[in-house]
Amino acid sequence: MSLPQRLVILGSTGSIGTSTLDVVARHPHRFAVHALTANRNVDKLFRQCQAFRPALAIMGEAQAAAQLHARLRAAKLRTQVSSGVDALCEAARSGECDTVVAAIVGAAGLLPTFTAAQAGKKILLANKEALVMSGALFMRAVRTSAAVLLPVDSEHNAIFQCLPRASGSNLGVERLILTASGGPFRTRPVATLDDVTPDQACAHPNWAMGRKISVDAATMINKGLEVIEAHWLFDMPAERIDVLIHPQSIIHSMVVYSDQSVLAQLGNPDMRTPIAHALAYPERIASGVTPLNLAQIATLTFELPDMARFPCLHLACEVIRDGGGASVILNAANEVAVEAFLAGRIRFTAIERVIGETLQRVPVVEAQCIEDVLEMDRRARVLAHEAIRR
Ligand code: NDP
Ligand code: MG
């Protein structure tokens, strides 16, 4: 029997992290958890350490790390504790790790995920923001180090499954179709969007996700970020990537071939399917997901997105046309705006204004290295905060 796959799960306390550990727990002989990480959720990381006994636990914040350390020692657990981004990067490149699950939300995930790419790891990529920010550099690092990059984002995982070979080959592929649920406000009167609350924006009809990506789904900028993600992952020009609203979230995306065959991947909307697929790839393992019952679902429907209803998606599409650097600014401004919306400091409809103003004010630089990306991200955040104060 082969040795277990040693996992570093970045962002293990989040929605994707929790689903990953659910799948891992079903296959104790296949996987060994080397490291778990969180930002400041001490309670949850402590419970995960009790259940999975990792060698290492890393917190974003030092104070949280001290609390976790005390609780682990009191429980007589030997997990080592550290904190900060350097510790995350060290774990991502460690010789004790075969596979990195990149499930930190937002730009905070960039450096450790990029480090895993440079170190030639198998990477299960949920943290789409890392690829949106650093696409060309990231894909170059993957190629140079012969890392294995497996998409966990459900649409990209679906496309990966429908592509002709394992990866890298677009032979005969004409278009990619990314499906989107349309989020909680697909049919709500546009004039009432000014007044929606963070909880309403986070009440996704089909998926239970973290709050940041839930708001991204409500504005549909998530689908714009996913077009950029697909462009880099599958080396496909953005003009050949379509967005199609499919409110039931049963078809997770499709590949159109030149002979007009269309291959789709279907399943109930549960992230444990793409996670299990990527964890065991190229094998298949049980995920715990309820079997799909198409007779019960009966109807699958489709429509085009309305850009007037979803101006953030429109902004993202423009950024894609402008190319590389602008997506760093879009991503940073969106993160700042979403945080302000979730904190009750701006209205839902102001997210688009903050992103638009920031895009106009930050000069786009084509990044030559990851430091250039981080510098553009910093500048965009400063100006996005200014836009919020206005
Ligand atoms: P969550 O908000 O649920 O979890 C985020 C995780 O990242 C938590 O473990 C959190 O720790 C940690 N974290 C947050 N900020 C920092 C930081 N500054 N430093 C270190 N760790 C940090 O997010 P999701 O699981 O929903 O999403 C994770 C990623 O996966 C995102 O990029 C998202 O776009 C992508 N994704 C998610 C999907 C989903 O279904 N949820 C689907 C497809 C993609 P703590 O708990 O302590 O805050
Ligand atoms: Mg997705």
Side-chain angles (χ1 to χ4, degrees), residues 140-184:
R140 197 187 308 152
V142 166
R143 279 192 299 274
T144 307
S145 69
V148 175
L149 184 57
L150 297 168
V152 164
D153 207 350
S154 57
E155 297 76 3
H156 305 74
N157 182 271
I159 287 169
F160 183 86
Q161 293 196 45
C162 295
L163 280 175
R165 255 167 263 132
S167 66
S169 160
N170 282 342
L171 221 60
V173 173
E174 198 167 274
R175 308 190 73 76
L176 305 179
I177 302 175
L178 294 180
T179 52
S181 69

Side-chain angles (χ1 to χ4, degrees), residues 11-16 37-41 60 88 103-106 108 126-129 153 208-211 213 271:
S12 64
T13 51
S15 159
I16 293 286
T37 88
N39 193 30
R40 48 184 158 210
N41 192 341
L88 292 173
I104 290 176
V105 62
N127 180 216
K128 66 192 87 184
E129 296 92 339
D153 207 350
M209 309 184 285
R211 285 173 83 77
I213 187 179
M271 288 307 294

